[in-house]
Structures are given as structure tokens and as C-alpha cells.
Amino acid sequence: MNTELPEDPQRRRLRERLEVIQIRADKASSWRDAVRPLRRLLNREGFVPIKTRLASTDLDFLESSRDDLLAFSELSLRLIDLHQPRDAGGITSDTAHPILRCRSCMWRWPCPTFRAITEAFSIGHETGS
């Protein structure tokens, strides 16, 4: 049974995209302090009167988005580390393309967890992002 497989290109692209998100979020300034003065500018309709209409829900989002994105990208990276292909060890007539299973959940590769993460980030369906 061969456990050393070449890196799956789709998995590699997903990991790279998540790492870029994590780096961008880590480098970004937190809006936590900037949101406090903006909340005082909310008008009766619930918007901050500037060219872009910021509602209180927008401010809530901006206040915690950096921390949420860092946590989400870390979770996603940990999940793709857990769910990766391995040779299932079965007999196959196509030795160049062995049957693969997930190391963690043992589903056929790509497993449902990896497919869900891939679909959420549209890896393989991008138009140039």
C-alpha cells in the first residue's frame, strides 16, 4: 500500500486560498476601535450618513469580521489537514490511478467534508480570482 501520494492539485489550491485569506485577515486592521465612533453617527433610520450607508448590522459585522475570518480560515485549514487522500490499498487494474479514501473519515476521495469546503470556496470553478 502506497501512502505517499502526490499532492492533489485541488487540495493544494484550496490550502493556498485559505492561507491567503488568513494572511490578509491577519495583516488587516481590526475595525473594533473604528466602529465605536461610527455607532454614534447612526441616524433615526439606523444608518451612518456617509456615501456608503452603514447600518448597525454592518457595524456589528465589521467589528468582529477580522477575528471571525481568522478563526474560520484556521478551522478550514485544520479540516483539510484532517481530510486528505490516501491509497485505499485495493486491487485495481489502473495502477496509475489507485482507489483513494479519506485518511480521516474513510469515504471515497474526495470525501463529503473536502467537497463541501471546496464548494464553499468554489475551488476549480473560479473565473480568475
Side-chain angles (χ1 to χ4, degrees), residues 9-76:
Q10 189 176 30
R11 186 174 177 281
R12 183 179 38 76
R13 283 192 308 273
L14 177 60
R15 172 171 271 297
E16 288 169 359
R17 183 155 181 199
L18 287 167
E19 287 172 347
V20 165
I21 290 170
Q22 192 174 39
I23 289 167
R24 284 181 184 166
D26 193 40
K27 287 182 178 180
S29 299
S30 174
W31 280 70
R32 193 168 310 280
D33 295 331
V35 165
R36 287 186 188 110
L38 290 173
R39 286 192 186 281
R40 292 191 299 264
L41 298 174
L42 286 170
N43 61 20
R44 286 181 225 190
E45 291 84 33
F47 293 97
V48 175
I50 57 175
K51 288 184 182 180
T52 58
R53 295 172 53 111
L54 291 175
S56 61
T57 53
D58 296 326
L59 297 176
D60 293 340
F61 173 77
L62 289 172
E63 187 174 38
S64 64
S65 62
R66 178 181 177 272
D67 296 333
D68 294 344
L69 192 53
L70 282 168
F72 180 72
S73 59
E74 177 63 27
L75 169 66
S76 299

Coordinates of all heavy atoms in Angstrom, one line a residue, residues 9-76:
P9 N -4.0 18.5 -6.7 CA -4.0 19.9 -7.1 C -5.1 20.7 -6.6 O -5.0 21.9 -6.2 CB -4.0 19.9 -8.6 CG -3.8 18.5 -9.0 CD -4.0 17.6 -7.8
Q10 N -6.3 20.1 -6.5 CA -7.5 20.8 -6.0 C -7.3 21.1 -4.5 O -7.6 22.2 -4.0 CB -8.7 20.0 -6.2 CG -10.0 20.7 -5.8 CD -11.2 19.8 -6.2 OE1 -11.2 18.6 -6.1 NE2 -12.3 20.5 -6.5
R11 N -6.7 20.2 -3.7 CA -6.5 20.4 -2.3 C -5.4 21.4 -2.1 O -5.5 22.3 -1.2 CB -6.0 19.0 -1.7 CG -5.9 19.1 -0.2 CD -5.6 17.7 0.3 NE -5.3 17.7 1.7 CZ -4.2 18.2 2.3 NH1 -3.2 18.5 1.5 NH2 -4.1 18.2 3.6
R12 N -4.4 21.4 -3.0 CA -3.3 22.4 -2.9 C -3.8 23.8 -3.1 O -3.5 24.8 -2.4 CB -2.2 22.1 -3.9 CG -1.0 23.0 -3.8 CD 0.1 22.7 -4.8 NE -0.3 22.2 -6.1 CZ -0.8 23.0 -7.1 NH1 -0.9 24.3 -6.9 NH2 -1.1 22.5 -8.2
R13 N -4.7 24.0 -4.2 CA -5.3 25.3 -4.5 C -6.2 25.8 -3.3 O -6.2 27.0 -2.9 CB -6.1 25.2 -5.7 CG -5.3 25.2 -7.0 CD -6.1 25.5 -8.2 NE -7.3 24.6 -8.4 CZ -7.2 23.4 -9.0 NH1 -6.1 22.9 -9.5 NH2 -8.3 22.7 -9.1
L14 N -6.9 24.9 -2.7 CA -7.8 25.2 -1.6 C -6.9 25.7 -0.4 O -7.2 26.7 0.2 CB -8.7 24.0 -1.2 CG -9.5 24.2 0.1 CD1 -10.5 25.4 -0.1 CD2 -10.3 22.9 0.4
R15 N -5.9 24.9 -0.1 CA -5.0 25.3 1.0 C -4.4 26.7 0.7 O -4.3 27.5 1.6 CB -3.9 24.3 1.2 CG -2.8 24.7 2.2 CD -1.9 23.6 2.5 NE -2.4 22.8 3.7 CZ -2.5 23.3 4.9 NH1 -2.3 24.5 5.2 NH2 -2.9 22.5 5.9
E16 N -3.9 26.9 -0.5 CA -3.3 28.2 -0.8 C -4.3 29.3 -0.7 O -4.0 30.4 -0.1 CB -2.8 28.2 -2.3 CG -1.5 27.3 -2.4 CD -1.1 27.1 -3.9 OE1 -1.9 27.5 -4.8 OE2 -0.1 26.4 -4.1
R17 N -5.5 29.1 -1.1 CA -6.5 30.2 -1.0 C -6.8 30.5 0.5 O -7.0 31.6 0.9 CB -7.8 29.8 -1.7 CG -8.9 30.9 -1.7 CD -9.8 30.8 -2.8 NE -10.8 31.8 -2.7 CZ -11.9 31.8 -3.4 NH1 -12.2 30.8 -4.1 NH2 -12.7 32.8 -3.2
L18 N -7.0 29.4 1.3 CA -7.2 29.7 2.7 C -6.1 30.4 3.4 O -6.3 31.2 4.3 CB -7.5 28.3 3.4 CG -8.9 27.7 3.0 CD1 -9.0 26.3 3.5 CD2 -10.0 28.6 3.7
E19 N -4.9 30.0 3.0 CA -3.7 30.7 3.6 C -3.6 32.1 3.2 O -3.3 33.0 4.0 CB -2.4 29.9 3.2 CG -2.3 28.6 3.9 CD -1.1 27.7 3.4 OE1 -0.5 28.0 2.3 OE2 -0.8 26.8 4.1
V20 N -4.0 32.5 2.0 CA -4.0 33.9 1.5 C -5.1 34.6 2.4 O -4.8 35.7 2.8 CB -4.3 34.0 0.0 CG1 -4.7 35.4 -0.4 CG2 -3.1 33.5 -0.8
I21 N -6.3 34.0 2.5 CA -7.3 34.7 3.4 C -6.8 34.9 4.8 O -7.0 36.0 5.3 CB -8.6 33.8 3.4 CG1 -9.3 33.8 2.0 CG2 -9.6 34.3 4.4 CD1 -10.4 32.8 1.8
Q22 N -6.2 33.9 5.3 CA -5.7 34.0 6.7 C -4.6 35.1 6.8 O -4.6 35.9 7.7 CB -5.1 32.7 7.1 CG -4.8 32.6 8.6 CD -4.4 31.2 9.0 OE1 -3.6 30.5 8.2 NE2 -4.8 30.7 10.1
I23 N -3.7 35.2 5.8 CA -2.6 36.2 5.8 C -3.3 37.6 5.7 O -2.9 38.5 6.4 CB -1.6 35.9 4.7 CG1 -0.8 34.7 5.1 CG2 -0.7 37.2 4.5 CD1 0.1 34.2 4.0
R24 N -4.2 37.8 4.8 CA -4.9 39.1 4.6 C -5.6 39.5 5.8 O -5.5 40.7 6.2 CB -5.9 39.0 3.4 CG -5.2 39.0 2.1 CD -6.3 39.0 1.0 NE -5.7 38.9 -0.3 CZ -6.4 38.6 -1.4 NH1 -7.7 38.3 -1.3 NH2 -5.8 38.5 -2.6
A25 N -6.3 38.6 6.4 CA -7.1 38.9 7.6 C -6.1 39.3 8.8 O -6.4 40.2 9.5 CB -8.0 37.8 8.1
D26 N -5.0 38.6 8.9 CA -4.1 38.8 10.0 C -3.4 40.2 9.8 O -3.2 40.9 10.7 CB -3.0 37.7 10.0 CG -2.2 37.8 11.2 OD1 -2.7 38.0 12.3 OD2 -0.9 37.6 11.1
K27 N -3.1 40.6 8.5 CA -2.5 41.9 8.3 C -3.5 43.0 8.3 O -3.1 44.2 8.5 CB -1.9 41.8 6.9 CG -0.6 41.0 6.8 CD 0.0 41.1 5.4 CE 1.3 40.3 5.3 NZ 1.8 40.4 3.9
A28 N -4.8 42.8 8.2 CA -5.8 43.8 8.2 C -5.9 44.4 9.6 O -5.7 43.8 10.6 CB -7.1 43.3 7.7
S29 N -6.3 45.7 9.6 CA -6.5 46.3 10.8 C -7.9 45.9 11.3 O -8.8 45.8 10.6 CB -6.5 47.9 10.6 OG -5.3 48.3 10.2
S30 N -8.0 45.8 12.6 CA -9.3 45.5 13.2 C -10.1 46.7 13.2 O -9.7 47.8 13.4 CB -9.1 45.0 14.7 OG -10.3 44.8 15.3
W31 N -11.4 46.5 12.9 CA -12.4 47.6 12.9 C -13.0 47.8 14.3 O -13.8 48.7 14.5 CB -13.5 47.3 11.9 CG -13.1 47.6 10.5 CD1 -12.2 46.9 9.7 CD2 -13.6 48.6 9.7 NE1 -12.1 47.4 8.5 CE2 -12.9 48.5 8.4 CE3 -14.5 49.7 9.9 CZ2 -13.2 49.4 7.4 CZ3 -14.7 50.5 8.8 CH2 -14.1 50.4 7.6
R32 N -12.6 47.0 15.3 CA -13.2 47.1 16.6 C -13.2 48.5 17.2 O -14.2 49.0 17.6 CB -12.5 46.1 17.5 CG -13.2 45.9 18.8 CD -12.7 44.7 19.6 NE -12.5 43.5 18.9 CZ -13.5 42.6 18.6 NH1 -14.7 42.9 19.0 NH2 -13.2 41.5 18.0
D33 N -12.1 49.2 17.1 CA -12.0 50.5 17.7 C -12.6 51.6 16.8 O -13.2 52.6 17.2 CB -10.5 50.9 17.9 CG -9.9 50.1 19.0 OD1 -10.6 49.6 19.9 OD2 -8.7 49.9 19.0
A34 N -12.6 51.4 15.4 CA -13.1 52.3 14.5 C -14.7 52.3 14.5 O -15.3 53.3 14.2 CB -12.6 52.0 13.1
V35 N -15.3 51.2 14.9 CA -16.7 51.1 14.9 C -17.4 51.9 16.0 O -18.5 52.5 15.8 CB -17.1 49.6 15.0 CG1 -18.6 49.4 15.3 CG2 -16.8 48.9 13.7
R36 N -16.7 52.0 17.1 CA -17.3 52.8 18.2 C -17.7 54.2 17.9 O -18.9 54.6 18.1 CB -16.4 52.7 19.4 CG -16.3 51.4 20.1 CD -15.5 51.4 21.4 NE -15.3 50.0 21.8 CZ -14.2 49.4 21.8 NH1 -13.1 50.0 21.4 NH2 -14.1 48.1 22.2
P37 N -16.9 55.0 17.3 CA -17.3 56.4 16.9 C -18.4 56.3 15.8 O -19.2 57.2 15.7 CB -16.1 57.1 16.5 CG -15.0 56.1 16.4 CD -15.4 54.8 17.1
L38 N -18.3 55.4 14.9 CA -19.3 55.3 13.8 C -20.7 55.0 14.4 O -21.7 55.4 13.8 CB -18.9 54.2 12.8 CG -17.7 54.5 11.9 CD1 -17.3 53.3 11.1 CD2 -18.0 55.7 11.1
R39 N -20.8 54.2 15.5 CA -22.1 53.9 16.1 C -22.8 55.2 16.5 O -24.0 55.2 16.5 CB -21.9 52.9 17.2 CG -21.6 51.5 16.8 CD -21.8 50.6 18.0 NE -21.3 49.2 17.6 CZ -22.1 48.4 16.8 NH1 -23.3 48.8 16.4 NH2 -21.6 47.2 16.5
R40 N -22.0 56.1 17.0 CA -22.6 57.4 17.5 C -23.2 58.2 16.3 O -24.0 59.1 16.5 CB -21.6 58.2 18.2 CG -21.2 57.6 19.5 CD -20.4 58.6 20.4 NE -19.1 59.0 19.8 CZ -17.9 58.4 20.0 NH1 -17.8 57.4 20.8 NH2 -16.8 58.9 19.3
L41 N -22.8 57.9 15.1 CA -23.3 58.6 13.9 C -24.6 58.0 13.3 O -25.1 58.5 12.3 CB -22.2 58.6 12.8 CG -20.9 59.4 13.2 CD1 -19.9 59.2 12.1 CD2 -21.2 60.8 13.5
L42 N -25.0 56.9 13.9 CA -26.3 56.3 13.4 C -27.4 57.3 13.4 O -27.7 57.9 14.5 CB -26.6 55.0 14.2 CG -25.7 53.8 13.9 CD1 -26.0 52.7 14.9 CD2 -25.9 53.3 12.5
N43 N -28.2 57.4 12.3 CA -29.3 58.3 12.3 C -30.6 57.5 12.7 O -30.5 56.3 13.1 CB -29.5 59.0 11.0 CG -29.7 58.0 9.8 OD1 -30.1 56.9 10.0 ND2 -29.4 58.5 8.6
R44 N -31.8 58.2 12.6 CA -33.0 57.5 13.1 C -33.4 56.3 12.2 O -34.0 55.4 12.7 CB -34.2 58.5 13.0 CG -34.1 59.5 14.0 CD -35.3 60.5 13.9 NE -34.8 61.8 14.1 CZ -35.5 62.9 14.2 NH1 -36.8 62.8 14.1 NH2 -34.9 64.0 14.4
E45 N -32.9 56.3 11.0 CA -33.2 55.2 10.1 C -32.3 54.0 10.3 O -32.4 52.9 9.7 CB -33.2 55.6 8.6 CG -34.3 56.5 8.2 CD -34.0 58.0 8.5 OE1 -32.8 58.3 8.4 OE2 -34.9 58.7 8.8
G46 N -31.3 54.2 11.2 CA -30.3 53.2 11.5 C -29.1 53.1 10.6 O -28.4 52.1 10.5
F47 N -28.8 54.2 9.9 CA -27.7 54.2 9.0 C -26.7 55.3 9.4 O -27.1 56.3 10.0 CB -28.1 54.5 7.6 CG -28.9 53.3 7.0 CD1 -30.3 53.4 7.0 CD2 -28.3 52.2 6.4 CE1 -31.0 52.3 6.4 CE2 -29.0 51.2 5.9 CZ -30.4 51.2 5.9
V48 N -25.4 55.1 9.1 CA -24.4 56.2 9.3 C -24.5 57.0 8.0 O -24.3 56.5 6.9 CB -23.0 55.6 9.5 CG1 -22.0 56.7 9.5 CG2 -22.9 54.7 10.7
P49 N -24.7 58.3 8.1 CA -24.9 59.2 7.0 C -23.6 59.5 6.2 O -23.1 60.6 6.3 CB -25.6 60.4 7.5 CG -25.1 60.5 8.9 CD -24.9 59.1 9.4
I50 N -23.1 58.5 5.5 CA -22.0 58.8 4.6 C -22.3 58.2 3.3 O -23.4 57.6 3.1 CB -20.7 58.1 5.2 CG1 -20.8 56.6 5.4 CG2 -20.2 58.8 6.4 CD1 -19.6 55.9 5.9
K51 N -21.5 58.3 2.3 CA -21.8 57.8 0.9 C -22.2 56.4 0.9 O -23.1 56.0 0.2 CB -20.7 58.1 0.0 CG -20.5 59.6 -0.3 CD -19.5 59.8 -1.4 CE -19.3 61.3 -1.6 NZ -18.3 61.6 -2.6
T52 N -21.5 55.5 1.6 CA -22.0 54.2 1.8 C -22.8 54.1 3.0 O -22.4 54.5 4.1 CB -20.8 53.2 1.9 OG1 -20.0 53.5 3.0 CG2 -19.9 53.2 0.6
R53 N -24.0 53.6 2.9 CA -24.9 53.5 4.0 C -24.6 52.4 4.9 O -24.8 51.2 4.6 CB -26.3 53.4 3.5 CG -26.8 54.6 2.7 CD -28.1 54.4 2.0 NE -29.1 54.0 3.0 CZ -30.1 54.8 3.4 NH1 -30.3 56.0 2.9 NH2 -31.0 54.3 4.2
L54 N -24.0 52.7 6.1 CA -23.7 51.7 7.1 C -24.8 51.5 8.1 O -25.1 52.5 8.8 CB -22.4 52.0 7.8 CG -21.1 52.0 7.0 CD1 -19.9 52.5 7.8 CD2 -20.8 50.6 6.5
A55 N -25.4 50.4 8.1 CA -26.4 50.1 9.1 C -25.7 49.5 10.4 O -24.5 49.2 10.4 CB -27.4 49.1 8.6
S56 N -26.5 49.5 11.5 CA -25.9 49.0 12.7 C -25.4 47.5 12.5 O -24.4 47.1 13.1 CB -26.9 49.1 13.9 OG -28.0 48.3 13.6
T57 N -26.1 46.7 11.7 CA -25.7 45.4 11.4 C -24.4 45.3 10.6 O -23.6 44.4 10.8 CB -26.8 44.6 10.6 OG1 -27.1 45.3 9.4 CG2 -28.0 44.4 11.5
D58 N -24.2 46.3 9.8 CA -22.9 46.4 9.1 C -21.8 46.7 10.1 O -20.7 46.1 10.0 CB -22.9 47.6 8.1 CG -23.9 47.4 6.9 OD1 -24.1 46.2 6.5 OD2 -24.5 48.4 6.5
L59 N -22.0 47.6 11.0 CA -21.0 47.9 12.1 C -20.7 46.7 12.9 O -19.6 46.4 13.3 CB -21.5 49.1 12.9 CG -21.6 50.4 12.1 CD1 -22.1 51.5 13.1 CD2 -20.3 50.8 11.5
D60 N -21.8 45.9 13.3 CA -21.6 44.7 14.0 C -20.7 43.7 13.3 O -19.8 43.1 13.9 CB -23.0 44.0 14.3 CG -23.9 44.8 15.2 OD1 -23.4 45.7 15.9 OD2 -25.1 44.5 15.2
F61 N -20.9 43.6 12.0 CA -20.1 42.7 11.1 C -18.7 43.2 11.1 O -17.8 42.4 11.3 CB -20.7 42.6 9.7 CG -19.8 41.8 8.8 CD1 -19.8 40.5 8.8 CD2 -19.0 42.5 7.9 CE1 -19.0 39.7 8.0 CE2 -18.2 41.8 7.0 CZ -18.2 40.4 7.0
L62 N -18.5 44.5 10.8 CA -17.1 45.0 10.7 C -16.3 44.9 12.0 O -15.1 44.6 11.9 CB -17.2 46.5 10.2 CG -17.6 46.7 8.8 CD1 -17.8 48.2 8.5 CD2 -16.6 46.1 7.8
E63 N -17.0 45.0 13.1 CA -16.4 45.0 14.4 C -15.7 43.6 14.6 O -14.6 43.6 15.2 CB -17.4 45.3 15.4 CG -16.9 45.4 16.8 CD -17.9 45.9 17.8 OE1 -19.1 45.4 17.7 OE2 -17.6 46.7 18.7
S64 N -16.3 42.6 14.2 CA -15.8 41.2 14.6 C -15.3 40.4 13.3 O -14.8 39.3 13.5 CB -16.8 40.4 15.3 OG -17.9 40.2 14.5
S65 N -15.4 41.0 12.1 CA -15.1 40.2 10.9 C -13.7 39.7 10.9 O -13.5 38.6 10.4 CB -15.5 41.0 9.7 OG -14.7 42.2 9.6
R66 N -12.7 40.5 11.3 CA -11.3 40.1 11.2 C -11.1 38.9 12.1 O -10.5 37.9 11.6 CB -10.4 41.2 11.6 CG -8.9 40.9 11.6 CD -8.1 42.0 12.1 NE -6.7 41.7 12.1 CZ -6.1 41.1 13.2 NH1 -6.8 40.8 14.3 NH2 -4.8 40.8 13.1
D67 N -11.6 38.9 13.3 CA -11.4 37.8 14.2 C -12.2 36.6 13.7 O -11.7 35.4 13.8 CB -11.8 38.2 15.6 CG -11.0 39.3 16.2 OD1 -9.8 39.4 15.8 OD2 -11.5 40.0 17.1
D68 N -13.4 36.8 13.2 CA -14.2 35.7 12.7 C -13.5 35.0 11.5 O -13.5 33.8 11.4 CB -15.6 36.2 12.3 CG -16.4 36.6 13.5 OD1 -16.0 36.3 14.7 OD2 -17.4 37.3 13.3
L69 N -13.0 35.8 10.6 CA -12.3 35.3 9.4 C -11.1 34.5 9.8 O -10.8 33.5 9.2 CB -12.0 36.4 8.4 CG -11.6 36.0 7.0 CD1 -12.7 35.1 6.4 CD2 -11.5 37.2 6.2
L70 N -10.3 35.0 10.7 CA -9.1 34.3 11.2 C -9.5 32.9 11.7 O -8.8 31.9 11.4 CB -8.3 35.1 12.2 CG -7.5 36.3 11.6 CD1 -7.0 37.2 12.7 CD2 -6.3 35.7 10.8
A71 N -10.5 32.9 12.6 CA -10.9 31.7 13.2 C -11.5 30.7 12.1 O -11.2 29.5 12.1 CB -12.0 31.9 14.2
F72 N -12.3 31.2 11.2 CA -12.8 30.4 10.1 C -11.8 29.8 9.2 O -11.8 28.6 8.9 CB -13.8 31.2 9.3 CG -14.5 30.4 8.2 CD1 -15.4 29.4 8.5 CD2 -14.1 30.7 6.9 CE1 -16.0 28.7 7.5 CE2 -14.7 30.0 5.9 CZ -15.6 29.0 6.2
S73 N -10.8 30.6 8.8 CA -9.7 30.1 7.9 C -8.9 29.1 8.7 O -8.5 28.1 8.1 CB -8.9 31.3 7.4 OG -8.3 32.0 8.4
E74 N -8.6 29.3 10.0 CA -7.9 28.3 10.7 C -8.6 27.0 10.8 O -8.1 25.9 10.6 CB -7.6 28.8 12.1 CG -6.9 27.8 13.0 CD -5.5 27.5 12.6 OE1 -4.8 28.2 11.8 OE2 -5.0 26.3 12.9
L75 N -9.9 27.1 11.1 CA -10.8 25.8 11.1 C -10.7 25.1 9.8 O -10.5 23.9 9.7 CB -12.2 26.2 11.5 CG -13.3 25.1 11.3 CD1 -13.0 24.0 12.2 CD2 -14.6 25.6 11.4
S76 N -10.9 25.9 8.7 CA -10.9 25.3 7.3 C -9.5 24.6 7.0 O -9.5 23.5 6.5 CB -11.2 26.3 6.3 OG -12.5 26.9 6.5

